[in-house]
Structures are given as C-alpha cells and as structure tokens.
C-alpha cells in the first residue's frame, strides 16, 4: 500500500494510489459503477472486488465466477451492479457484487475470450460464434457467419449494431434484424481486436502484422496505420471520438481522427518510455493513462502533449487499465498480479 | 525478407513439442503416455478438434488449425492464429505447466506451426519450440509418401521420427522404410517403436532448435555418408547414380547429356523416367554439402540470406556447421524456411578435422547451384 502526491508540469494533478498484489495475474479490470466497486478479473477464475469508498480494505472479497478455470474476459454488467465474465470453461457468467452468480451462456469445449457490453445488451464470442443477449442477460440471437475465430467485439455508440473482428476483416451486424447478411469490411490480415469510434464514423482494428487498420463507414474507405514495433492491441477513444490512443510502441500513439481520418497524418506521441501495453483515455478530459511492459503507469495530456509518471504498479507488463465512468478512479492490473486504484479525488 | 530466429538458448521459456503424423500412426497413444506417465511434469496439450479424441485432461485444449498468412513481405510466412491465442490464454492460468505439446492433424503442414514460435513476439517471449516429432506407421508410410504431400513434409520438418508399428513389417521392409525416410530427411533422429513405446525422454525436451545442442543431438550430422553399399548409406546426390526423377519443369541449361536412348546417356534427374528406385514419388530430398577449406563469414551470410529470401519457400529446413576463417569456434546455423539463426559454438578441438557442412531439406533443390554457391563462400 502506498500513497503519492505528484505534480505535473504546468498543472497540479493530485491523486492517491492504493496498490496491492494478487496471487494470480490480472486478466482484465472493470468498474461496476452503480455498485461502487472495482473488479479485477484473475487467472484463477475469480473476480476480486475493491470498494471505491474504501480501497484500502484489508480483505478482498472474491466472487468465484469460473471455479477451477481461467477468466479470459471481464466487463461491467449493463446495469453497473456487477460483472459479466467469460472463461476457458466455456461459460459466460453474470456475477453481482453481492455474490449472486448466474450462468448466461455455456459453449462446451470452447473458450469465451471476447465480450462487449452496452447499456442495452451483451455480445460474447466463442470460436466462430457470437451470441447476443439483452441487458437482462437473456439470449436474443446468435451469429455464426464468420470465417474464423472471433477475435474482437465492439458495439456502436448507440448499441444498435456491433462489429466482429476475425481473419480477413470485420463483420458488422444489426442487433434487431431477424435475418440479415453481415456487412463485411475486408482487409487481408489477421485482425486481433476491434473498436468503434464514439461518433460512429470509424471502425478500427489492430493486426497481427503490428499495424492498425481502419474503415471510414461513410464510404468503407480503408485506412492503414503502420510503424508499430509490437501489436497495438489496446485501443481507447477520447470521449468526442477525435483521438484514438493505441499501445504497441514506446509511446502512446494517438491518432487524430477528425475529418476524413488519421491515415497519412503524423500521430501525437505521449507517455514516452518502455513499450506500452495498455491505454485508457479519460472518459471526460483530454488525458490518456497508459501502462508499460515494466509496470509503470503514466498519464499524458493531449492539449500540451505533456506526460508524467504516475505509479509503479508492479514489475511485469500492465495487462488491464480502465477508468471509472465518472473519471475519478483509474483501475490497473498486471501480469504478475500487481493491482491498484488511483483516486484523483472529486 | 528473411528474419532471425529468436535466441534459442533461453531455457526459462516453456518448451513446446510439436507432434505430427498421419491419422492412425499412433499419435494419440503417444499423447496418452505423455499425459499419464509418471514423469513428474505437467503438460498442456493442444489438440485439433477433428483429431483422434479420446483423451481428457483439464489441460487439453481444442484448436482449430487456423493458418493465417502474414502480410510482412515473407511469401512463405504463415502462422497458426489459433495457437497464438491459445498459448496466450494458457499463460493466464494460475496453475502453471511445465511444457506444451501441440498435436496437428495428419493433413497439417508443420511449417506454420514452427513459424508461429519465431514470428509472433508474444508467443516467443514465453515459449520456445523444442522439437518437431513425427510419428509414422512403418507399414503404411510408403503408401502415404506416394499420395500425400503432407506426409512427406511431416518427415522433412521432423527433428525426431518415431517409426511406429515396426512389428507389422519384415526387417527388409523396415530397412526400406528407413531408407526412404533418410532420403527425405538426413538429420532426424529415428526411433523404432511398437505401440509408440519409445522412451519419452527421447521425444520431449530435446532442445532440437537450440543451436548449442544441434550437433550433440545429431552426431551423424558431422560424419560423411557411408560408402554406397555399406550399412547406413543414404542414396543422395553424391553416390554417382541417380535415384530420382524430378520433373522440375525448368531448364538447368546444361545439355551435355546425350538424349535418352543414345549412347552415353546418363540416367539423371532430367530424363523423366523411372529407374526402378521406389523413392521416385518423393519430391522432398536432402542435399548435403561439404567444404574442407575455411569459409568467409561475410560471403556466407550474403549467400545464405539471398538463397533463403529467394528459395526459402521450397527449402523447408536447413542446418549447418561452419569453419569461418579467423575464428577458432564452430559456427552453427539453422533455418525454417526463410527464418534463420546462427551463432558461434564451442572451439574446434585440435584433434578434429575442421570443415564446413550444410544440409538442405526441400523441394526443387538444385544441387549444382547450391554447391557452386557454397564454394563461392570460400575464404
């Protein structure tokens, strides 16, 4: 446990850091805002809870979401009262912070590695199949027409469509339509994750070839953004959809997506240091948090392109990073089980 | 574009054994032994969902054999996307394992599996390819080699070959099968077995991709081919008569051989008829080259890089030991397609002959051109 006061160049950023260590690696983190808890999805199949109003709590409550299995993905439930998680036991679980567990789906002998949640629904990926559930977790439809295993899922801003990444591109589906062909965005590559811009204009993926690929939805124009030494797997948008922060380089590469898109423009570079493994844009302000391969958390600001070191989380790569929706707390986890909450105050 | 194999000496990485072989050859028997025998190690086993199931264990994972091309300019560069995902997922587990075994279907090309461990940084950070083990059925292999390109590739890529079901063939048939394996792959270790009863330590944790162990594992690699007619002789390009007919479809540009049927005709690989040797149906072969005088390291590097960049698609594997001028250490080299690795090993001993040897396993190998290129590397 440690606390810290750090001054940023040109502006004071005060925060308190609460750090601790789990025995299992942190796979994913999420904020169950309505229930007032941060959740840390762990390799032992559990979700560890920390209340935002008392992060120093001596004991960590554990929700055993995937007994004897590995948790592979985690998100806050649509109502913010708990968590949705997928595991290598082929189960999709809804677990409230009070500890009530409900199996939403089960896919024998498959891993549930992909998950996206909107206010109106949940999608999960298992092999080539995507399942859609409503906000209460009841099954709505399945979507099987994908050429390979599903590698990423993202809802559009209104939650009415979702994007599925796979080999060869992205498939876009409508949540409501009974029968429909997918709209395909094709690009010959292995696409590893997908994100949809908050203004709805762009769908972007990271690829096996250490590149970003994107499509402008108005005309399906391709955008290709290269130069990464590693896969840019962690992607995060600014609230207005102008900036896209990406991992995979020794800086946070931030693409300016105003107008026609970022292709051909030089990106902004923030938080220079070791290779960045996780990024999270602040939900309201022009700030990007990042975690690197050595466990260091940094914060960079878009308007003056300054960066500061925030906290040494652990000694291994930061695997998970997210802000609470109100932007007060930064939740972080590492491959070695290091974990923390940074409280930026009111 | 040729790439480098990552440093193979890092034994903190989890070893991965790739297990290949045709349906019915005995892979499942071997897998079951790996999972159940009391060897004190915990194995994660990645199997393909269409394979011979019948084994169950918490660390058995289904894979889909999703082969992806890499758009990185390397024309033969394909990886197994599912393997990348599964290996990353396995490392999220709380309970760790000591090693990984990847089983492939009989129809799978081992190339993408091997390349996955060199091309993907996230995988190579944690895991190292230990060896490629191919289980073959002594009785059915000749037929497989006739009708299946994959069966041939599985032998070509292998570091270890378990020649199984030897009790079902006669000693003469066994010798013939072994000779045919050798004609494709000169440097694999061959272990005879019935019901896959090979000692597991001959198969697992071999370090076959570790440059420091290549020569220890393959002492025969250093020896010359026994003379024609002697035991252990491999009918290769040196032995002065021709065993293969390869329809190369391209012209080598030397027309000194009188036409077939004319006086003085030499039955070579161009003449397009079967010389009665039963290995006519294999297209993969081994070419072994040797130089007795020192090699210039810069010339060699330039030549081998260009060779693998242009012909790496057909050269499945290559290995070598080199006597570089100006160095007292042996230089050891290996490659999978275009991905290569090389390093200085121990000193040459005063009591051993210094020489350079290269072995290529592949298709469309032009021995004369390779020999000429290698000789051009003389210091």
């Amino acid at each position: 446990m440690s606390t810290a006061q750090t001054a940023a160049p040109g502006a004071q950023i005060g925060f308190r850091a609460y750090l601790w260590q789990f025995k299992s690696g942190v796979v994913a983190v999420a904020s169950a805002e309505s229930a007032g808890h941060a959740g840390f999805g762990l390799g032992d199949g559990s979700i560890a809870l920390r209340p935002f109003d008392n992060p120093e709590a001596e004991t960590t409550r554990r929700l055993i979401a995937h007994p004897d299995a590995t948790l592979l993905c985690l998100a806050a439930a649509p109502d913010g009262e708990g968590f949705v998680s997928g595991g290598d036991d082929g189960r999709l679980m809804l677990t409230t912070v009070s500890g009530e567990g409900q199996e939403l789906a089960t896919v024998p002998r498959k891993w549930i590695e992909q998950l996206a949640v909107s206010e109106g629904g949940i999608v999960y990926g298992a092999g080539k199949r995507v399942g859609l559930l409503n906000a209460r977790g009841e099954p709505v439809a399945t979507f099987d027409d994908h050429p390979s295993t599903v590698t990423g899922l993202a809802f559009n801003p209104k939650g009415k469509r979702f994007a599925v990444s796979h080999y060869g591109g992205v498939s876009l589906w409508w949540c409501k339509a009974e029968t429909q062909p997918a709209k395909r965005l094709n690009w010959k590559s292995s696409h590893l994750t997908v994100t949809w811009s908050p203004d709805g204009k762009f769908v972007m993926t990271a690829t096996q070839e250490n590149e970003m690929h994107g499509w402008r939805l108005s005309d399906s124009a391709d955008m290709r953004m290269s130069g990464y030494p590693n896969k840019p797997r962690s992607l995060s948008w600014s609230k207005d959809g102008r900036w896209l922060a990406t991992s995979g380089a020794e800086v946070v590469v931030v693409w300016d997506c105003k107008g026609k898109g970022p292709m051909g423009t030089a990106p902004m570079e923030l938080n220079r240091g070791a290779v960045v493994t996780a990024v999270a844009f602040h939900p309201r302000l022009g700030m990007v948090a990042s975690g690197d391969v050595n466990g260091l958390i940094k914060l960079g600001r878009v308007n003056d392109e300054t960066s500061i070191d925030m906290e040494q989380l652990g000694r291994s790569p930061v695997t998970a990073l997210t802000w609470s929706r109100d932007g007060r707390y930064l939740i972080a986890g590492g491959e070695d089980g290091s974990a923390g909450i940074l409280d930026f105050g009111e | 574009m040729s790439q480098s194999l990552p440093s193979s000496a890092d034994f903190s990485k989890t070893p991965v054994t790739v297990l290949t072989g045709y349906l019915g050859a005995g892979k499942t028997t071997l897998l079951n032994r790996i999972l159940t025998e009391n060897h004190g190690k915990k194995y994660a086993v990645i199997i393909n969902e269409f394979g011979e199931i019948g084994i169950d264990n918490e660390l058995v994972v289904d894979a889909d054999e999703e082969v992806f091309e890499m758009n990185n300019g390397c024309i033969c560069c394909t990886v197994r996307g599912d393997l990348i995902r599964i290996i990353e997922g396995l490392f999220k587990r709380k309970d760790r394992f000591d090693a990984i075994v990847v089983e492939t279907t009989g129809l799978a090309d081992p190339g993408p599996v091997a390349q996955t461990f060199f091309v993907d940084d996230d995988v190579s950070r944690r895991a190292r390819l230990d060896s490629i083990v191919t289980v073959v059925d002594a009785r059915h292999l000749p037929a497989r080699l006739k009708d299946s390109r994959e069966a041939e590739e599985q032998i070509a890529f292998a570091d270890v070959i378990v020649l199984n079901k030897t009790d079902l063939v006669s000693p003469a048939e066994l010798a013939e099968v072994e000779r045919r394996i050798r004609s494709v792959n000169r440097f694999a270790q061959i272990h005879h077995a019935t019901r896959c009863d090979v000692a597991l330590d001959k198969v697992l944790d071999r370090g076959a991709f570790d440059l420091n162990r290549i020569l220890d594992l393959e002492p025969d690699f250093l020896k010359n081919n026994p003379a024609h007619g002697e035991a252990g002789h491999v009918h290769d390009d040196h032995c002065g008569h021709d065993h293969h007919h390869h329809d190369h479809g391209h012209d080598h540009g030397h027309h000194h051989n009188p036409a077939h049927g004319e006086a003085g005709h030499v039955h070579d690989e161009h003449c397009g008829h079967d010389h009665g040797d039963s290995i006519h149906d294999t297209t993969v072969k081994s070419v072994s080259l040797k130089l007795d005088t020192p090699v210039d390291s810069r010339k060699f590097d330039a030549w081998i890089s260009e060779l693998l960049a242009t012909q790496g698609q057909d050269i499945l594997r290559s290995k070598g030991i080199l006597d570089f001028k100006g160095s007292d250490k042996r230089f050891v080299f290996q490659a999978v397609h275009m991905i290569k690795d090389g390093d200085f090993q121990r000193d040459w001993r005063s009591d051993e002959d210094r020489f350079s040897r290269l072995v290529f396993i592949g298709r469309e190998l032009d021995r004369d051109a390779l020999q000429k290129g290698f000789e051009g590397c003389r210091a």
Side-chain angles (χ1 to χ4, degrees):
Chain A
M1 203 76 66
S2 75
T3 59
Q5 289 288 144
T6 307
Q12 297 292 317
I13 297 180
F15 68 96
R16 291 173 70 84
Y18 305 93
L19 305 178
W20 61 93
Q21 185 85 29
F22 295 115
K23 284 185 180 138
S24 297
V26 179
V27 175
V29 294
S31 166
E33 208 93 347
S34 313
H37 280 77
F40 298 82
L42 305 181
D44 65 3
S46 72
I47 302 165
L49 294 179
R50 288 273 165 161
F52 288 125
D53 62 6
N54 184 19
E56 288 194 68
E58 286 296 309
T59 54
T60 303
R61 277 179 52 218
R62 292 296 186 95
L63 309 173
I64 309 299
H66 303 271
D68 303 321
T70 305
L71 181 145
L72 296 172
C73 53
L74 177 77
D79 62 5
E81 297 288 346
F83 301 94
V84 183
S85 59
D88 68 1
D89 53 359
R91 297 162 80 219
L92 183 74
M93 297 296 297
L94 172 65
T95 314
T96 65
V97 296
S98 58
E100 294 161 49
Q102 183 190 347
E103 186 180 281
L104 301 180
T106 178
V107 188
R109 292 192 76 94
K110 290 283 182 195
W111 291 6
I112 296 182
E113 287 183 272
Q114 301 303 328
L115 179 63
V117 173
S118 74
E119 283 179 21
I122 300 162
V123 280
Y124 66 93
K128 293 177 184 172
R129 167 166 291 188
V130 173
L132 172 67
L133 313 174
N134 65 22
R136 291 184 301 280
E138 296 157 349
V140 175
T142 57
F143 303 81
D144 289 336
D145 184 18
H146 303 112
S148 73
T149 298
V150 169
T151 57
L153 293 166
F155 278 106
N156 77 347
K158 290 179 180 165
K160 296 194 186 297
R161 300 179 83 183
F162 61 90
V164 180
S165 62
H166 42 67
Y167 186 59
V170 169
S171 299
L172 305 181
W173 299 96
W174 291 95
C175 297
K176 288 284 182 194
E178 288 284 314
T179 58
Q180 56 177 323
K183 178 177 171 56
R184 306 282 191 198
L185 302 172
N186 297 317
W187 184 260
K188 190 183 162 187
S189 183
S190 179
H191 299 264
L192 305 175
T193 186
V194 64
T195 184
W196 205 318
S197 66
D199 59 12
K201 288 181 184 168
F202 300 106
V203 166
M204 304 281 200
T205 65
T207 74
Q208 175 71 32
E209 291 87 1
N210 300 348
E211 290 184 350
M212 292 286 299
H213 197 83
W215 291 269
R216 191 167 59 217
L217 294 179
S218 58
D219 56 0
S220 294
D222 283 291
M223 291 172 287
R224 191 177 166 194
M225 292 149 282
S226 55
Y228 292 88
N230 299 86
K231 298 171 199 162
R233 306 192 105 158
S234 176
L235 314 176
S236 180
W237 292 92
S238 63
K239 185 184 179 226
D240 58 5
R242 174 170 173 183
W243 304 101
L244 175 62
T246 60
S247 68
E250 291 177 343
V251 294
V252 177
V253 176
V254 186
W255 298 98
D256 185 349
C257 299
K258 75 173 179 212
K260 289 187 169 179
M263 191 177 176
T265 65
M268 184 187 294
E269 298 183 349
L270 292 175
N271 303 8
R272 181 169 291 280
V275 171
V276 175
T277 51
V279 294
F281 238 107
H282 191 276
R284 290 183 289 116
L285 309 172
M287 297 195 303
V288 189
S290 65
D292 70 23
V293 70
N294 300 324
L296 182 62
I297 308 283
K298 291 174 179 254
L299 190 64
R301 206 161 42 192
V302 173
N303 62 4
D304 59 2
E305 302 187 30
T306 55
S307 305
I308 54 167
D309 292 354
M310 300 296 286
E311 198 64 42
Q312 188 71 44
L313 188 69
R315 297 286 162 192
S316 74
V318 174
T319 48
L321 197 62
T322 194
W323 293 88
S324 60
R325 278 169 72 178
D326 62 8
R328 174 172 170 174
Y329 304 99
L330 180 66
I331 308 160
E335 194 176 283
D336 59 357
S338 54
I341 293 176
L342 274 58
D343 178 0
F344 289 81
E346 296 296 334
Chain B
M1 187 194 329
S2 54
Q3 295 175 263
S4 288
L5 296 172
S7 172
S8 51
D10 186 355
F11 278 81
S12 64
K13 294 179 182 177
T14 303
V16 180
T17 302
V18 176
L19 186 59
T20 74
Y22 249 71
L23 200 73
K27 271 181 302 174
T28 304
T29 310
L30 191 58
L31 271 178
N32 267 320
R33 288 189 49 217
I34 292 168
L35 285 168
T36 56
E37 254 177 42
N38 186 20
H39 40 57
K41 285 196 170 173
K42 198 167 172 183
Y43 284 88
V45 177
I46 301 171
I47 61 173
N48 67 84
E49 61 184 346
F50 304 108
E52 308 156 78
I53 316 253
I55 42 179
D56 210 6
N57 183 293
E58 56 153 332
L59 275 170
V60 175
V61 186
D62 277 343
D64 300 313
E65 299 201 337
E66 292 179 338
V67 177
F68 297 143
E69 286 171 40
M70 293 281 288
N71 298 330
N72 60 0
C74 182
I75 47 173
C76 59
C77 214
T78 49
V79 298
R80 283 271 304 271
D82 58 326
L83 265 188
I84 297 172
R85 277 197 316 278
I86 289 167
I87 288 172
E88 282 180 26
L90 283 172
F91 280 100
K92 289 174 182 166
R93 299 183 69 95
K94 179 172 178 265
D95 304 319
R96 289 300 165 92
F97 42 87
D98 302 299
I100 299 173
V101 177
V102 180
E103 181 232 13
T104 72
T105 57
L107 290 170
D109 167 8
V113 184
Q115 292 186 124
T116 299
F117 293 93
F118 306 125
V119 168
D120 190 273
D121 293 337
D122 296 325
V123 169
S124 63
R125 182 166 69 91
R126 300 157 173 285
R128 61 176 172 85
L129 185 57
D130 182 73
S131 63
I132 299 174
V133 177
T134 301
V135 182
V136 297
D137 176 334
R139 191 161 58 153
H140 292 120
L141 183 70
R144 288 287 81 79
L145 286 176
K146 274 198 174 70
D147 62 20
S148 159
R149 179 185 168 101
E150 292 84 7
E152 197 178 23
E153 294 216 333
Q154 287 168 2
I155 287 172
F157 272 102
D159 299 291
V160 175
I161 292 171
V162 178
L163 183 50
N164 196 29
K165 309 193 184 184
T166 52
D167 52 330
L168 302 181
V169 293
S170 69
E173 285 170 319
L174 185 60
E176 171 63 10
V177 165
E178 194 160 339
R179 192 178 70 75
R180 294 179 64 160
I181 291 171
R182 280 273 168 250
S183 78
V184 173
N185 186 333
R186 286 214 25 196
F187 54 61
Q189 294 181 305
I190 301 177
H191 299 293
H192 292 190
T194 57
R195 286 171 294 281
C196 264
D197 59 351
V198 59
L200 290 183
D201 64 0
K202 301 280 187 212
V203 173
L204 301 169
D205 210 6
R206 303 298 295 153
F209 281 84
D210 176 10
L211 287 172
N212 290 316
R213 290 182 68 182
I214 285 179
L215 301 179
D216 301 332
L217 289 173
E218 293 151 19
D220 293 345
F221 186 70
L222 298 176
K223 287 183 200 150
N224 281 312
N225 194 6
H228 192 232
E230 286 182 16
H233 170 75
V234 174
H235 292 276
D236 67 5
D237 295 294
H238 299 281
C239 67
H241 69 117
D242 293 285
H243 302 272
H244 311 251
H245 85 262
H246 292 280
D247 194 3
H248 284 247
H250 64 95
D251 193 340
H252 289 262
H254 40 93
H255 296 284
H256 51 272
N257 193 6
H260 191 233
E262 288 181 18
H265 170 74
V266 175
H267 290 276
D268 67 6
E269 60 180 14
H270 301 281
C271 67
H273 72 107
D274 189 339
H275 293 264
D277 191 288
S278 56
I279 58 175
H280 69 279
D281 44 46
T282 54
T283 63
V284 177
K285 65 176 176 177
S286 297
V287 168
S288 171
L289 307 172
K290 191 180 174 202
L291 289 180
D292 291 320
T293 62
V295 166
D296 182 289
S297 61
R298 282 172 55 200
K299 285 183 191 168
F300 175 76
D301 189 52
W303 172 68
I304 198 79
S305 296
E306 169 72 12
L307 179 71
L308 295 178
T310 54
Q311 294 174 49
Q313 220 171 352
D314 289 326
I315 299 171
L316 307 178
R317 289 190 72 174
S318 46
K319 292 190 185 188
I321 175 170
L322 294 142
D323 173 19
F324 281 150
K325 187 180 170 68
S327 172
D328 291 328
K329 289 184 185 300
R330 310 197 297 187
F331 187 86
V332 183
F333 161 88
Q334 70 164 326
V336 176
H337 284 306
M338 299 180 180
I339 303 168
K340 65 182 165 63
D341 188 18
D343 203 1
F344 285 102
Q345 208 204 22
R346 67 162 173 81
D347 284 354
W348 290 99
R349 284 193 307 265
S350 55
D351 62 343
E352 67 188 351
D353 291 337
R354 291 176 65 147
F355 61 89
S356 299
R357 179 182 289 286
L358 277 179
V359 174
F360 296 96
I361 298 180
R363 293 192 168 85
E364 308 285 338
L365 298 180
D366 181 341
R367 188 181 186 285
D368 293 342
L370 290 170
Q371 177 75 36
K372 203 175 156 196
F374 193 30
E375 297 209 357
C377 300
R378 281 188 205 273

